[in-house]
């Protein structure tokens, strides 16, 4: 099927394209640079909306802690800009390109926000939604509108940007986004424990998170996973990793304090090793794509942190040949499973613990057939559908990307 | 002073007409509420019976003297007697109450502790006031998952107190924290002096259970960190009771910082203080709290509390650093150095916990202190980009002269959230109105310099009619459509937030025409 792609350069052109789609009854697939097309349910439309021309920094005011960019501004442009002023996006957006066999450094800020992606610092600094202050865009009614604001503290009207986070382009084609930016830590260290079982590892992470030492990363990697991350491979054992960040003297003091609290540790990663290690955790490097025909499925499970080890244990029992590692103190499980894994069985195993599972990597056919995102109970799904309709009554924006019919 | 929202009160309710100071019965303020519907008021008896069948005993209040307790929130200039007050104690009861009200077409106003400063909990004369006070139990403290599951009527401070012995706390700390409820905090997305570093309510909530106007119960989030699906919790937080009634809340709790120290810094000008704030942030420091007071506020606070504030300065800052002792000591030195570089005339770092608390005492008592120098005051709540501070303060001075009213400023300097306190005397005819006009001028000024109408107190009725200054009609229509997704009949807390009420059917209408492509200039390939 030949796909016609619109490539608007202004919000007005974008609105025209959506208006045309409404008139013609032809839904649109939205893309920034297409880096996350593998994430979510495939959208099957004859027309596409390429938003990549809506790119560029609109305003960066480091002292106000605010950055406004056109939505499709590449992450590769934003990261060095912030670094130049000693700042960063504190939610540590991952670069999932490797998971889909793409080169690193792809993606746009709009895409990161639309997919609500956050890295290890989710634990202490919050997620994409927590840093998303303002949005402008075109709704499925072809109307140009804005929500939120360009200041860090605002409660005027509904917090529309929050709703955009994780909406996968099903509500609004975003043209401009404003995010909170924060000072990047001056220094970083990572404490390591080796050879702990999953349960012991998560327990240690919980203890560290109960300390006053301001942990900003808490991951546990079973041996088979840890050996794929160069910074810790030499351990030849499971690795429990706890990150401390901040001003130099503070990191040094906390390192000493936490080491004592944990009754000794097995190693410390220096700044550069830490950065490399957490980047690998953030980007799910252990499950990097190698062969699109045989790569296992990858799932992202959000669970109550302290139950992480038990969830993984039950899943291993139920599903057989699986691999996993934990981030967010146990609250995030990255899980690789065989291709024939039944989504319903996986979610059934998860159910008693609370939380949800997203099928992050799978062949297109499977993502069309299976529930990529956790199915919602009927009343919630009905509300979700009404929210969708309130922005996009005819379903012209990324129909079906999130749920069938949404 | 009492201002009837609708002159003459409601017929059929006996001697409940509110006194009016204006003999010809004209409304004295600009803020109009939807006119009470006589058909609903006529059904009061049936409504009460049906509510009593759901919430037995004393949970349904009809007696005028008792209703009086609910006639306003902390925006006391606006009052109205609710038709009925109902105090349910279970989610099931809330669901049945809402279902019944929806069936009967009766409006509902949820209420927590009634400390809203924007009139969010202002009753409607033809509406049910749904008090959440009986939802007052903490359901679970889960240290391993670092969260607390609680009913919404528990106070903000109640949560922190409950987990204090294990060294935890709930971070958002509105000054009203001994009284305000966590349900109200969610509705208002409340902040506090520590929210630059620790976030507003929205950044600290993990889950809610909520009842929609049709009685449907939905659960959003839980003990896990990410919700999945649309971030409906993000919309519900800060929705001012317009989307659903929150019946259960899961919040995350944090370990208390090991230490905290504060520096008290005086500046000869607001500009220098503003520059100092920017320089602290540019140095990569996000203080636990960073507050500023202007000259009138400093004097009011010092006269009231004798906290040792310098009186010969134009601006006073309190910068609090919290965290590990090594970090705090390191940063205190840097902050003092930055302050001195920016022309501080005094910079005192606290050397004991008593001293730190004394520095704060004046700031925390700023509202009552101002209350001492003026019979009444209005507390405003705009946010501005911090760089606009000197401009905004000098314009505010001009406005003060023009309106003939004094203003004192306290300011969450770190995040640009201003709290101008406008001093007036409600007993002097016209002063409240002048104060409201002054307030509106300040808030529109905030928007004009790139900021917003409200940083933490909510729109409510107070700033409702200013919404069109910040948002276009399209922006507001889209927000109202969102409201329609939750409450298509517009029965939940109407008259708040949105300056105009539209029917959902009208808002949902879509005009499409033609079918050809009249936009040849969009590149396509
Ligand atoms: C002296 C003083 C100091 C203050 N300081 C601060 C401050 O520092 N920071 C700050 O942010 N605010 C502050 N406030 C404002 C106020 O305390 C907050 O807005 C607070 O969150 C209101 O909580 P409440 O329980 O009193 O809610 P209420 O006033 O009863 O209601 C507020 C809104 O919430 C809705 N609501 C209440 N409960 C529910 C529920 N369960 N479900 C759905 N909707 C509900 C109501 O309909 C209403 O719209 C202050 C107020 C006072 C009086």
């Amino acid at each position: 099927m030949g796909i016609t792609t619109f490539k608007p350069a202004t919000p007005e052109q974008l609105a025209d394209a959506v208006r045309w789609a409404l008139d013609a009854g032809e839904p649109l697939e939205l893309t920034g640079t297409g880096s996350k097309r593998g994430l979510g349910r495939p959208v099957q439309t004859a027309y596409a909306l390429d938003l990549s021309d809506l790119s560029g920094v609109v305003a960066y005011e480091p002292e106000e802690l605010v950055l406004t960019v056109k939505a499709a501004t590449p992450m590769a442009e934003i990261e060095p800009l912030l670094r130049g002023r000693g700042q960063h996006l504190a939610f540590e957006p991952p670069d999932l390109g490797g998971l889909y066999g793409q080169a690193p450094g792809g993606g746009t800020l709009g895409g990161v926000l639309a997919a609500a992606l956050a890295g290890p610092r989710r634990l202490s600094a919050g997620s994409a939604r927590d840093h998303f202050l303002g949005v402008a865009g075109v709704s499925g009614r072809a109307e140009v509108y804005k929500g939120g604001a360009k200041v860090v503290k605002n409660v005027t009207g509904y917090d529309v940007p929050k709703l955009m986070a994780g909406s996968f382009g099903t509500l609004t084609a975003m043209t401009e986004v404003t995010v909170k930016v924060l000072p990047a830590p001056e220094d970083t260290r990572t404490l390591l424990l080796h050879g702990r079982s999953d349960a012991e590892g998560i327990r240690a992470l919980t203890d560290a998170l109960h300390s006053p030492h301001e942990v900003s990363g808490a991951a546990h990697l079973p041996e088979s996973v840890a050996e794929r991350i160069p910074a810790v491979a030499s351990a030849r054992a499971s690795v429990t990793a706890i990150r401390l960040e901040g001003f130099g003297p503070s990191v040094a003091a906390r390192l000493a304090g936490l080491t004592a609290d944990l009754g000794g540790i097995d190693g410390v990663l220096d700044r550069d090793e830490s950065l490399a290690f957490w980047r690998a955790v953030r980007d799910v490097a252990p499950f990097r794509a190698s062969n699109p025909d045989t790569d296992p499925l990858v799932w992202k499970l959000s669970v109550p942190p302290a139950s992480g080890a038990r969830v993984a244990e039950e899943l291993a029992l139920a599903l057989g040949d699986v691999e996993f590692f934990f981030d967010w103190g146990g609250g995030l499980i990255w899980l690789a499973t065989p291709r024939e894994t039944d989504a319903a069985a996986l979610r059934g195993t998860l159910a008693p613990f609370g939380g949800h599972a997203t099928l992050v990597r799978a062949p297109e056919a499977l993502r069309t057939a299976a529930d990529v995102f956790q199915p919602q109970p009927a009343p919630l799904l009905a509300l979700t559908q009404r929210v969708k309709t309130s922005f996009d009554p005819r379903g012209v924006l990324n129909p079906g990307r999130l749920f069938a019919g949404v | 002073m009492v201002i009837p929202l609708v002159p003459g009160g409601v017929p059929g309710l006996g001697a409940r007409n509110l006194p009016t100071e204006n003999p010809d019965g004209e409304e004295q303020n600009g803020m109009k509420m939807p006119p009470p519907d006589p058909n609903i008021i006529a059904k009061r008896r049936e409504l009460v019976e049906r509510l009593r069948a759901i919430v037995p005993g004393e949970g349904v209040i009809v007696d005028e003297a008792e209703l009086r307790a609910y006639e306003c929130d902390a925006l006391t200039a606006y009052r109205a007697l609710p038709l009925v007050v109902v105090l349910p104690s279970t989610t099931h009861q809330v669901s049945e109450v809402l279902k019944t009200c929806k069936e009967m077409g009766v409006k509902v106003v949820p209420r927590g502790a009634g400390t809203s400063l924007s009139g969010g909990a202002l009753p409607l004369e033809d509406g049910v006031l749904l008090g959440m006070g009986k939802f007052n139990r903490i359901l679970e403290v889960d240290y391993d998952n670092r969260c607390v599951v609680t009913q919404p009527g528990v106070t903000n401070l109640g949560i922190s107190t409950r987990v204090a012995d294990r060294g935890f706390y709930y971070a958002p700390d509105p000054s009203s924290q001994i009284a305000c409820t966590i349900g109200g905090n969610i509705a208002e997305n409340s902040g506090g002096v520590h929210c630059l570093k620790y976030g507003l309510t929205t950044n600290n909530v993990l889950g809610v259970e909520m009842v929609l106007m049709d009685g449907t119960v939905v659960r959003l989030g839980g003990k896990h960190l990410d919700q999945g699906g649309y971030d409906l919790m993000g919309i519900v937080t800060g929705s001012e009771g317009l989307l659903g009634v929150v019946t259960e809340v899961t919040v995350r709790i944090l370990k208390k910082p090991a230490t905290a120290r504060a520096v008290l810094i005086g500046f000869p000008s607001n500009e220098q203080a503003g520059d100092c704030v920017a320089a602290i942030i540019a140095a990569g420091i996000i203080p636990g709290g960073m507050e500023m007071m202007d000259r009138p506020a400093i004097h009011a606070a010092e006269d009231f509390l004798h906290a040792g504030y310098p009186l010969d300065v134009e601006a006073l800052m309190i910068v609090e650093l919290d965290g590990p002792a090594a970090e705090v000591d390191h940063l205190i030195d840097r902050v003092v150095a930055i302050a001195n570089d920016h022309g501080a005339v005094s910079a005192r770092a606290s050397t004991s916990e008593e001293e730190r608390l004394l520095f704060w005492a004046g700031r925390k008592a700023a509202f009552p202190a101002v209350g001492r120098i003026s019979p009444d005051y209005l507390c405003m709540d705009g946010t501005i980009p911090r760089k606009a501070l000197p401009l905004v303060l000098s314009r505010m001075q001009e406005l003060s002269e023009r309106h003939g009213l004094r203003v004192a400023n306290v300011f969450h300097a770190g995040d640009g959230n201003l709290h101008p306190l406008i001093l007036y005397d409600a007993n002097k005819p016209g002063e409240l109105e002048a104060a409201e006009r002054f307030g509106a001028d300040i808030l529109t000024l905030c928007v004009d310099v790139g900021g917003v109408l409200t940083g933490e107190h909510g729109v409510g009725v107070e700033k409702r009619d200013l919404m069109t200054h910040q948002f276009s009609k399209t922006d507001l229509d889209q927000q109202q459509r969102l409201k329609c997704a939750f409450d298509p009949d517009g029965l939940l807390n109407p008259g708040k937030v949105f300056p105009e009420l539209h029917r959902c059917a009208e808002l949902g209408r879509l005009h499409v025409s033609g079918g050809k492509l009249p936009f040849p200039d969009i590149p396509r390939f």
Side-chain angles (χ1 to χ4, degrees):
Chain A
M1 179 170 55
I3 292 194
T4 306
T5 301
F6 296 101
K7 201 172 184 208
T10 65
E12 292 68 33
Q13 287 188 346
L14 172 53
D16 282 350
V18 175
R19 199 168 302 121
W20 173 82
L22 277 171
D23 280 350
E26 287 286 354
L28 303 166
E29 176 181 5
L30 278 56
T31 55
T33 54
S35 71
K36 293 173 190 64
R37 284 193 83 204
L39 178 54
R41 300 181 73 243
V43 176
Q44 287 146 333
T45 59
Y47 292 83
L49 201 48
D50 176 343
L51 302 170
S52 59
D53 275 354
L54 295 164
S55 170
V57 174
V58 177
Y60 175 33
E61 298 185 273
E63 293 83 11
E64 304 286 343
L65 303 173
V66 165
L67 169 71
T68 300
V69 300
K70 293 187 193 167
T73 308
M75 290 301 286
E77 190 178 326
I78 290 172
E79 279 166 352
L81 173 74
L82 297 181
R83 210 176 304 129
R85 301 298 296 263
Q87 294 190 330
H88 69 164
L89 295 169
F91 59 99
E92 214 175 353
D95 173 358
L96 297 182
L99 213 48
Y100 304 110
Q102 300 160 357
T108 65
L109 182 54
V112 162
L113 296 170
L117 297 175
R121 211 179 291 105
R122 164 78 187 88
L123 196 62
S124 57
S127 189
R129 48 115 52 196
D130 295 290
H131 299 261
F132 194 179
L133 303 172
V135 65
V138 176
S139 71
R141 307 173 59 89
E143 290 173 346
V144 181
Y145 78 99
K146 67 174 184 305
K150 296 181 181 179
V151 290
V152 294
K153 195 172 177 195
N154 168 40
V155 299
T156 321
Y158 297 134
D159 201 346
V160 174
K162 295 269 180 311
L163 192 57
M164 296 301 129
S167 67
F168 283 87
T170 60
L171 300 175
T172 291
M174 296 190 284
T175 54
E176 188 185 281
V177 295
T178 298
V179 290
K180 183 172 177 177
V181 291
L182 284 167
E186 193 177 88
D187 207 358
T188 302
R189 291 287 182 281
T190 301
L191 285 71
L192 300 178
L193 302 171
H194 293 157
R196 306 286 170 109
S197 70
D198 297 337
E200 290 164 349
I202 302 292
R203 185 69 244 169
L205 297 180
T206 305
D207 290 344
L209 287 163
H210 281 195
S211 79
H213 300 302
E214 298 183 0
V215 170
S216 71
H220 174 80
L221 290 66
E223 181 178 351
S224 67
V225 174
E227 68 189 13
R228 275 175 255 163
I229 298 183
V232 295
S234 63
R236 305 211 170 286
S238 74
V239 168
T240 307
I242 303 164
R243 178 170 66 181
L244 301 172
E245 296 176 301
F247 294 97
S250 170
V251 172
R254 284 183 285 148
L255 186 63
L258 190 53
T259 302
D261 287 2
L262 291 171
I265 56 171
D266 299 314
V268 176
L269 299 180
D270 68 17
R271 183 172 191 277
D272 290 344
E273 293 164 334
S274 284
L275 293 178
F277 171 79
W278 290 102
R279 199 176 305 119
V281 170
R282 182 193 80 178
D283 297 346
V284 207
F287 298 157
R288 190 179 293 127
S290 57
N291 178 346
D293 294 326
T294 56
D295 280 335
L297 307 182
V298 174
W299 304 77
K300 180 183 176 185
L301 277 57
S302 186
V303 301
S307 50
R310 280 177 51 221
V311 173
E313 192 185 350
E314 297 272 332
L315 286 169
L317 278 175
L319 306 175
D321 186 19
V322 302
E323 272 194 313
F324 51 81
F325 67 96
F326 306 88
D327 195 0
W328 300 355
L332 172 63
I333 305 174
W334 288 105
L335 176 73
T337 71
R339 290 209 157 191
E340 57 279 9
T341 302
D342 176 29
L346 185 152
R347 291 191 170 111
T349 307
L350 177 61
F353 297 94
H356 60 92
T358 306
L359 179 53
V360 168
R361 181 179 70 200
E364 189 167 323
L366 188 56
R367 283 185 289 118
T368 310
D371 290 311
V372 168
F373 298 95
Q374 182 92 7
Q376 299 185 317
L380 188 55
L381 181 61
L383 181 58
T384 294
Q385 269 156 343
R386 294 198 299 273
V387 168
K388 162 76 173 176
T389 307
S390 74
F391 284 86
D392 182 17
R394 297 282 169 86
V396 293
L397 303 180
N398 269 355
R401 180 86 191 248
L402 204 47
F403 301 108
V406 169
Chain B
M1 169 173 152
V2 172
I3 296 176
L5 290 164
V6 176
V10 179
L13 286 181
R16 63 167 307 302
N17 287 2
L18 302 170
T20 158
E21 307 222 332
N22 202 344
D24 57 17
E26 231 174 64
E27 287 175 62
Q28 297 187 354
N29 52 51
M31 214 54 69
K32 291 195 185 71
M33 295 303 283
D37 180 348
N39 297 323
I40 296 296
I41 292 164
K43 289 195 274 188
R44 186 178 192 233
R45 183 185 302 258
E46 180 197 343
L47 176 66
V48 169
E49 266 169 32
R50 292 184 65 174
L51 292 176
R52 286 220 159 109
I54 301 165
V55 184
E58 294 175 350
V60 177
I61 297 173
V62 293
D63 177 67
E64 187 186 329
E66 288 177 68
L67 291 178
R68 203 49 85 194
Y70 298 89
E71 70 180 354
C72 68
D73 56 24
L75 185 71
T76 53
Y78 292 87
R79 291 167 199 248
L81 271 199
L83 190 60
V84 187
V85 171
V86 57
L87 307 173
S89 54
T90 65
T91 300
H92 180 71
Q93 287 178 351
V94 171
S95 167
E96 291 298 312
V97 167
L98 292 183
K99 226 184 277 174
T100 301
C101 290
K102 181 172 162 97
E103 245 174 68
M104 295 184 64
V106 175
K107 297 164 191 150
V108 176
V109 178
R111 177 183 171 107
T115 67
S116 165
L117 289 167
S118 55
L122 176 71
L124 296 169
E125 301 190 336
D126 58 349
V128 167
L129 187 104
L130 183 72
M132 295 301 287
K134 291 196 174 168
F135 281 77
N136 57 5
R137 282 184 309 122
I138 290 180
L139 301 174
E140 188 192 352
V141 177
D142 182 345
Y143 288 109
D144 275 351
N145 287 309
R146 296 169 297 282
C147 64
V148 168
V149 184
T150 177
Q151 292 188 323
V154 168
T155 62
N156 171 295
L157 188 62
I159 298 173
S160 288
T161 307
R162 178 64 175 271
V163 296
D165 61 336
R166 292 272 300 262
F168 283 86
Y169 76 118
Y170 171 64
D173 58 343
S175 315
S176 52
Q177 66 179 163
I178 55 167
C180 66
T181 67
I182 190 71
N185 290 176
I186 295 219
E188 301 288 6
N189 191 12
S190 302
V193 294
H194 292 101
C195 64
L196 180 64
K197 183 166 174 186
Y198 297 102
L200 295 160
T201 304
T202 190
N203 312 111
N204 290 278
V205 179
L206 294 171
V208 298
E209 176 192 76
M210 139 177 119
V211 187
L212 304 183
M213 192 62 214
D214 65 2
T216 309
V217 180
V218 291
R219 295 189 74 89
L220 308 173
K223 291 180 178 178
H224 50 290
L225 290 178
D226 279 354
Q227 269 177 89
Y230 288 145
D231 192 343
L232 299 179
M233 209 156 56
I235 285 293
V236 167
T237 309
S239 65
E240 307 199 22
L242 268 69
L243 298 184
V245 176
V246 172
T247 47
E248 190 192 290
V249 183
T250 305
V251 293
R252 69 178 189 137
I253 48 172
L254 300 179
K255 196 74 178 186
K256 271 198 205 115
T259 45
R261 286 177 68 194
V263 203
L264 193 65
I265 311 168
F267 288 97
S269 77
N270 290 316
E271 284 80 356
Q272 282 157 306
D275 289 348
C276 178
V277 173
I280 289 171
I281 288 182
I285 303 170
I286 300 293
M290 182 146 58
E291 294 292 301
M292 196 171 139
M293 300 162 79
D294 70 358
R295 192 179 185 92
I298 302 166
H299 282 251
E302 182 60 18
D303 290 350
F304 183 41
L305 253 151
H306 312 293
Y309 288 176
L311 294 175
D312 54 348
V313 297
E314 285 301 315
L316 187 66
M317 268 171 62
I318 303 174
V319 182
E320 177 160 292
L321 286 313
D322 62 4
E327 174 173 324
V328 171
D329 294 346
H330 170 71
L331 293 184
I332 285 268
D333 293 344
R334 288 178 65 172
V335 166
V336 170
I338 292 169
N340 289 331
D341 284 350
H342 286 80
V345 289
S346 65
R348 252 169 71 202
S350 67
T351 50
S352 67
E353 186 62 5
E354 293 76 60
E355 196 175 13
R356 182 183 76 88
L357 294 175
L358 189 64
F359 288 179
W360 276 110
R363 164 63 185 88
K364 292 205 163 162
F367 289 15
V370 165
R372 252 171 37 116
I373 59 169
S374 169
D376 299 283
Y377 65 87
L378 274 185
C379 173
M380 309 312 292
D381 170 48
T383 302
I384 55 170
R386 264 183 290 93
K387 62 173 186 284
L389 180 67
L391 171 74
V392 168
L393 289 181
S394 75
R395 286 267 193 85
M396 218 186 285
Q397 213 41 57
E398 291 165 29
L399 288 170
S400 165
E401 280 153 33
R402 185 179 334 147
H403 291 281
L405 293 171
R406 289 177 298 161
V407 62
N409 266 290
V410 296
F411 182 38
H412 301 306
D415 44 32
N417 187 196
L418 291 169
H419 288 320
L421 303 170
I422 300 173
L423 316 189
Y424 73 101
D425 182 349
N427 286 320
K428 290 198 186 139
E431 275 214 351
L432 169 65
E433 293 71 20
E436 287 190 328
R437 281 193 300 273
F438 185 3
D441 285 348
I442 293 175
L443 295 183
T444 51
L445 172 62
C446 290
V447 174
D448 293 342
V449 299
V452 298
L453 296 171
T454 172
E456 58 180 11
H457 294 168
V459 176
V461 289
E462 187 206 18
K463 305 167 200 93
R464 186 191 70 191
D465 292 354
L466 298 174
M467 286 288 272
T468 49
H469 199 80
Q470 184 175 334
F471 292 111
S472 73
K473 176 166 167 29
T474 321
D475 303 339
L476 288 174
D477 282 355
Q478 188 49 54
Q479 293 195 33
Q480 291 205 45
R481 282 186 202 107
L482 197 48
K483 156 89 170 161
C484 293
F486 287 78
D487 172 23
D489 299 338
L491 291 173
L492 206 50
N493 217 1
K496 319 289 168 69
V497 182
F498 296 110
E500 275 177 44
L501 295 177
H502 300 287
R503 289 189 175 281
C504 290
E506 178 194 322
L507 284 167
R509 214 166 284 148
L510 188 66
H511 304 280
V512 284
S513 56
K516 58 183 187 312
L517 194 51
F519 320 106
D521 57 332
I522 309 170
R524 79 190 86 116
F525 50 89

